[in-house]
Amino acid sequence: MNPLREHALLLTRRHFFGKAGLGLTALWALLNESTAAADSGNPATGGLPGLPHFKPKARRVIYLFQSGAPSQIDLFDHKPKLHDLRGKDLPDSVRKGQRLTGMTSTQEHFPLAPSLFRFARHGKCGAWVSELLPHTAKVVDELCFIKSLHTEAINHDPAITFFQTGAQLAGRPSMGAWLSYGLGSENRDLPAFVALVSQGSGNPNDQPLYDRLWGSGFLPSKYQGVKFRSAGDPVLFLSNPPGLGAGVRRRFLDDLARLNEMRLKEFGDPEIATRIEQYEMAYRMQTSVPELTDVSKEPASTFELYGSDARKPGTFAANCLLARRLAERGVRFIQLFHRGWDQHVKLPTSIRGQCRDTDQASAALVLDLKQRGLLNDTLIVWGGEFGRTVYCQGTLTANDYGRDHHPRCFTIWLAGGGIKGGICHGGTDDFSYNITDKPVHVHDLHATLLHCLGIDHTRLTYKFQGRHYRLTDVHGNVVKELLA
């Protein structure tokens, strides 16, 4: 088979017009992208024209995702009446026939398990916080607790996917990809969207985290998150190969770009344009990323604030410090995934370790951003994919219990840009099983986060396979009571 002859045979009349159409489409896309950058007021951002839709309160997001689902009953949702009901079965009038997971559906009894941990009110707002989170307790006046969040998924993978993409099935763009697409980047030398992963003190075989959780779905792949690693190059293949100097690499990339541009003109595939941009971004990151990840010049007071783990790459504390440094440099969406919260058994022991991993650094990030004047325009989100049941999974003992998945109600907290601090929104019944006041759906949360960034969630869309998609699908309402 002769490749040149095969290529020549493709040049039929139909193929000619098809190629011409694709070329015009590609040209239009490139022109439109340039126009979008110009219209946004900052040619470096690459965002869509007309965005933000209105003046934003927040310019960036740091999402501290607690993978595995922290127990709201043991951390934030204080239920003192449960202590008198310890070991008794959850009343049918409370459960109301709601579905159970396969892990507890065969249990004959659902014994109530009040938290073993003490709660106290903190701050001027008087928010209830468990003894497990002493550092978070000190910053409650900066936080907005949503105690009435609920979701549709009852198992981890669809629930985590739902939180990241607004859909339980894989394939949709993640929230960070939507923001990268809509608002672009404030720093041309760093990605608009960065993902960081840490493993907590919990089970190392906890729920896996897939790259698609920070993926771009059907958006062009240039909008996907860039995962930073804790060992070796922070980003794969960032360093030059042995024997390849900076000058040679620059000439190599220039020649490669010319070849890719030829293919782009021929086929009009937007992924080729993405590849060109990614090669250039990787070249610029060779300088920007090592400087970003080198924390050796941070003062001792920084590590006192975040804790000693902040010196250990790959820990949650180190990632929180890195998140602050990314925020300082204009990265749009910074997503931390911390595994280990899936506590079906031995919860009292496991949750202590997880809180030691995350409490000090989470609070430190709030304080650090505030003292640097960055909290006003940085939106922080802390929470997992759903909550935990009031009843015990397995055997309830005097000092031990486990909790199953509970999507009906759970707690997260927000802080910073556009969010009212020192408030608790919504409420649950005496069993932390059903919402009694001001329910907030995941779509409502997404709509509210986008609103803080100056985006009307109904207008940030992308047409794919004949339909206009958005992060909130066809749902979602801005929760105005949360807004500053």
Side-chain angles (χ1 to χ4, degrees), residues 275-289:
R275 188 178 301 166
I276 296 171
E277 292 184 31
Q278 287 174 332
Y279 280 134
E280 289 301 316
M281 172 62 78
Y283 183 78
R284 296 194 297 271
M285 285 168 61
Q286 286 188 307
T287 300
S288 62
V289 169

Side-chain angles (χ1 to χ4, degrees), residues 139-156:
V139 298
V140 291
D141 288 332
E142 303 292 341
L143 310 183
C144 166
F145 293 94
I146 303 176
K147 295 192 172 183
S148 55
L149 200 64
H150 61 102
T151 184
E152 298 167 13
I154 199 171
N155 287 312
H156 292 286

Side-chain angles (χ1 to χ4, degrees), residues 228-363:
F228 278 23
R229 306 188 310 152
S230 58
D233 281 347
V235 180
L236 283 172
F237 311 119
L238 193 64
S239 298
N240 291 328
L244 184 68
V248 175
R249 185 181 179 96
R250 180 67 266 173
R251 293 196 299 273
F252 172 81
L253 290 176
D254 289 342
D255 291 342
L256 185 60
R258 281 192 286 270
L259 290 172
N260 279 325
E261 285 166 1
M262 291 169 59
R263 299 295 284 178
L264 178 62
K265 291 177 182 177
E266 183 176 7
F267 292 102
D269 184 352
E271 286 302 305
I272 299 176
T274 291
R275 188 178 301 166
I276 296 171
E277 292 184 31
Q278 287 174 332
Y279 280 134
E280 289 301 316
M281 172 62 78
Y283 183 78
R284 296 194 297 271
M285 285 168 61
Q286 286 188 307
T287 300
S288 62
V289 169
E291 183 274 332
L292 163 73
T293 56
D294 180 8
V295 298
S296 61
K297 295 181 181 179
E298 290 282 349
S301 58
T302 296
F303 299 102
E304 293 173 5
L305 181 63
Y306 284 87
S308 58
D309 277 355
R311 297 184 183 275
K312 304 174 186 176
T315 63
F316 181 79
N319 286 348
C320 281
L321 175 55
L322 190 55
R324 186 264 285 168
R325 293 172 65 86
L326 287 162
E328 286 180 308
R329 289 158 176 78
V331 173
R332 183 73 66 185
F333 194 88
I334 305 151
Q335 179 102 47
L336 277 65
F337 291 89
H338 185 71
R339 298 173 62 216
W341 291 96
D342 192 20
Q343 294 150 358
H344 290 272
V345 296
K346 301 186 181 302
L347 183 144
T349 301
S350 297
I351 201 169
R352 284 187 178 96
Q354 285 295 94
C355 290
R356 282 195 302 270
D357 293 339
T358 60
D359 175 43
Q360 182 174 354
S362 298

Side-chain angles (χ1 to χ4, degrees), residues 164-165 173-177 193-197 209-217 223-227 335 337:
Q164 306 312 313
T165 70
S174 58
M175 189 190 314
F193 177 16
V194 170
L196 303 162
V197 177
L209 294 170
Y210 304 101
D211 285 7
R212 60 174 169 78
L213 294 173
W214 47 90
S216 58
Y223 300 117
Q224 68 187 359
V226 174
K227 180 183 176 182
Q335 179 102 47
F337 291 89

Side-chain angles (χ1 to χ4, degrees), residues 73 78-88 112-119 401 430:
I73 303 172
H78 184 38
K79 300 299 177 185
K81 293 183 180 180
L82 284 176
H83 290 281
D84 296 332
L85 301 173
R86 179 182 176 81
K88 294 184 179 180
L112 296 172
S115 178
L116 288 179
F117 305 104
R118 296 188 302 273
F119 278 73
Y401 51 84
D430 291 337

Side-chain angles (χ1 to χ4, degrees), residues 124-128 139-147 411-414 419-426 438 479-484:
K124 295 179 181 178
C125 65
W128 288 101
V139 298
V140 291
D141 288 332
E142 303 292 341
L143 310 183
C144 166
F145 293 94
I146 303 176
K147 295 192 172 183
T411 303
I412 69 166
W413 59 255
L414 313 175
I419 293 296
K420 192 182 299 182
I423 67 168
C424 293
H425 181 88
K438 300 177 181 176
V479 185
K480 295 182 179 179
E481 296 94 323
L482 308 181
L483 303 178

